[in-house]
Each structure stands twice: as structure tokens, then as C-alpha cells.
Amino acid sequence: MSRLLITADWHIRSTVPSCIEATPEEWMEFQKKSVHRVLEIAKENNVDEIDVGGDLYHSERTSTNECTYLLQDAAQEADEQGTPMYIFAGNHDLINHSSSNIPKSAIGVLLNSKCVHNMAKDTSYIKACNFDEDNYGDARMIFKHVLTMPSKDKPDFIDCETPETLLEKYSSAQWVFTGDYHKNFEYCSNHRHVINSGCLMRQAADFEDYTPGVYIVDTETEDVNFVPIGLEQKFNHNGYEKKALDQTIENFVEGIKAEDVTLDYISSLRKEALNHDKLLQDKINDWIEQSGN
């Protein structure tokens, strides 16, 4: 195998992101079109396989049967066109971010599907581990779902990997494919590569100008090409007036400090969310999902 389509962070979900103007039906249809576009790009570029580097789902809470059917159908179509789809679990795919919970998570159902190939087990020429595992040995090509940012973009207060630290840590690897960071980038030094494909769809208010896409990688020639997905999304700007959002967050914090909230942090978040509008409720739920609860 030499020609790969590299992608990650699909975040398939039943709920419409707060920044997107769409009905639930329109949002689900857009997700189907985005995934189908990946299959089209794979076929157009004659790749050997599609590699999805984690976070196929947005969260367990929003992983409905329809989301799983969407992914199963895509995997079946990929197999039929001769570009099998390989996956492994990212943090958003797992309850409590633990691979021990795969049987309890939607991704567990997906991994048991006929046409879905488990990259974490099928390691004939690559090495991939689920989010909370790190057993890469001396593999030449690895997939790792870990927050990785270009050195020039990394703020001092964020604890994450950079391409340089990853290549130092995995000294035998020529190719490192990462996920979790939602902006795409490519790094190469002395014929050693780190590629982060970014998110497949825009799902945050500050990503309106971002270009989602996938990478086509030839591991023999070392050619790397970024291919945009090329689908338009309609953003809801009215819900993200900064002054209004700042005020609702201030009100939320005051509510959390009240004496009648429980001492359990997640319970407190859920309880206080009920006192605020949908914009802040969605934001709080996103925080909860990010924490894995």
C-alpha cells in the first residue's frame, strides 16, 4: 500500500452545532454529503485505502443509530469501490476517554460492522492505537490521535505535542498521522513527515474561514496533497454576539457559585444550564462532552 487518503475528526452527531444554521434533517444530510465527498476524492485519486484517525463521532450523547448507519453505509460503499475504510477510536468516540469502554460506545458497534476495518488491530504495515494507548514500538508509520499543533501556533499555556516532539518521541517513524487538532497542517523534516488532516466539517463559530479537506499521501514518492472538501456551510452569526455571550457566561458562573447547586461539578453544570438560553446550554454541553462525561 502506498497511496492513502488521510482524514480524521469527522465528529458525526445528531445535534446541529450552535453556529450552523440548519434543521436537524439538513445537518444530517450535510454530514452524509461530506462523508460521501471523502469517498469521491478517494476514487478520483486512486488511493489504496481511507484512514480515519479517530473522533468519527462527536460524543456518546449525540451518537444516534442514524449516525452509525451513516458511517456503516460509507464503509460499505468504500469497500465496494475498492478503497477500504480503516478506523480507530479517538477521545470523543469513547465513554470517559477509555478504550475499555469500546464495547459500551457507538464506535464499538461500528468496529463490529462488516465493512469497517479496525486499524488498531490490522497492523500489517502501520501501527495505530486507540486514544489512551501508546504501543507504537519501532513502527515506520503510525497513527496517533493526540493534540498536535505547529510550533509557531502553539500557545505557551496549552500542553500538547508539536511535530518536532512527536518525531523525537517516535524516532523510528517516517510518517506520523495525527488527529484531535481541528486545523490541517503538514510538516516535513529530513524525509520525516507529520500530517494533521484537521476536521472534516466546520462545527465551531471561529472556523467559518477554515477550509476542511483531506490529504492524499503517496508513501513511496513522499508526495503529499491537500484536497478541500468543497462544500458550503451556512453560519448563524446572530447567536454569537460576543457581548451577549460574555454576559450569559457571567450569569452562569454566578449561578454555579450559588449555595443550592450540588458539589458534583458535572451535575452543577447540567443543573445551571437549565436556567439559561439555548446558546449557553449548547456551550455547556460541549464543555461536558469535551471532558468525557
Side-chain angles (χ1 to χ4, degrees):
M1 299 291 182
S2 63
R3 286 183 64 79
L4 312 175
L5 185 150
I6 304 299
T7 179
D9 294 288
W10 290 7
H11 288 270
I12 302 299
R13 59 197 288 186
S14 59
T15 55
V16 183
S18 300
C19 64
I20 300 299
E21 188 173 317
T23 65
E25 293 77 17
E26 290 170 338
W27 173 244
M28 188 60 67
E29 184 61 27
F30 179 80
Q31 292 178 106
K32 291 179 182 178
K33 288 181 179 179
S34 298
V35 173
H36 184 70
R37 181 65 188 131
V38 172
L39 304 185
E40 290 179 338
I41 294 171
K43 190 173 183 177
E44 291 165 0
N45 288 272
N46 194 31
V47 303
D48 296 305
E49 66 182 49
I50 298 168
D51 295 314
V52 190
D55 281 2
L56 286 89
Y57 293 96
H58 185 63
S59 72
E60 182 62 23
R61 183 177 64 86
T62 60
S63 302
T64 61
N65 289 340
E66 188 175 8
C67 295
T68 298
Y69 291 149
L70 185 163
L71 293 168
Q72 288 173 325
D73 289 345
Q76 181 175 342
E77 183 177 346
D79 251 27
E80 290 172 352
Q81 73 179 30
T83 55
M85 189 169 82
Y86 286 78
I87 73 170
F88 67 100
N91 53 317
H92 279 255
D93 297 315
L94 301 168
I95 298 173
N96 297 329
H97 297 182
S98 173
S99 58
S100 65
N101 288 325
I102 285 179
K104 303 176 185 178
S105 305
I107 198 168
V109 176
L110 192 61
L111 286 167
N112 284 325
S113 303
K114 182 179 179 181
C115 296
V116 176
H117 304 276
N118 191 341
M119 196 190 304
K121 291 183 179 179
D122 194 314
T123 56
S124 56
Y125 69 102
I126 62 175
K127 186 69 176 177
C129 297
N130 294 315
F131 169 72
D132 56 343
E133 301 168 336
D134 195 354
N135 181 29
Y136 292 97
D138 57 357
R140 295 283 291 168
M141 182 186 304
I142 71 173
F143 284 78
K144 185 174 179 64
H145 192 86
V146 61
L147 182 61
T148 306
M149 301 177 66
S151 296
K152 63 182 180 61
D153 296 337
K154 180 184 177 301
D156 293 336
F157 57 86
I158 292 182
D159 182 19
C160 70
E161 300 283 2
T162 65
E164 293 88 348
T165 60
L166 281 178
L167 292 178
E168 181 179 0
K169 183 178 296 185
Y170 304 106
S171 58
S172 298
Q174 181 185 4
W175 297 91
V176 182
F177 302 111
T178 64
D180 201 34
Y181 183 53
H182 290 178
K183 293 185 177 181
N184 49 58
F185 70 84
E186 171 196 356
Y187 174 89
C188 180
S189 176
N190 297 322
H191 298 282
R192 301 182 70 208
H193 304 261
V194 176
I195 294 176
N196 185 85
S197 58
C199 57
L200 184 63
M201 291 164 279
R202 305 177 188 92
Q203 300 195 36
D206 58 345
F207 273 61
E208 186 171 3
D209 295 328
Y210 173 72
T211 301
V214 301
Y215 281 97
I216 304 298
V217 175
D218 191 312
T219 59
E220 292 183 2
T221 64
E222 297 188 42
D223 287 338
V224 177
N225 294 297
F226 179 76
V227 182
I229 293 298
L231 298 177
E232 294 297 323
Q233 291 181 256
K234 191 172 183 180
F235 276 71
N236 176 8
H237 299 98
N238 294 332
Y240 280 86
E241 293 292 340
K242 186 177 185 302
K243 184 175 181 180
L245 182 58
D246 287 347
Q247 184 60 54
T248 55
I249 290 176
E250 288 180 13
N251 293 340
F252 163 71
V253 171
E254 290 304 314
I256 282 293
K257 294 178 181 178
E259 295 181 0
D260 61 340
V261 297
T262 68
L263 293 177
D264 178 78
Y265 181 63
I266 298 302
S267 296
S268 298
L269 286 176
R270 294 190 188 281
K271 182 175 179 180
E272 181 58 24
L274 297 176
N275 298 324
H276 297 275
D277 61 24
K278 186 177 184 300
L279 170 63
L280 191 58
Q281 288 181 27
D282 288 346
K283 189 66 178 176
I284 294 167
N285 284 328
D286 282 343
W287 291 338
I288 293 172
E289 288 166 11
Q290 290 280 359
S291 72
N293 290 280

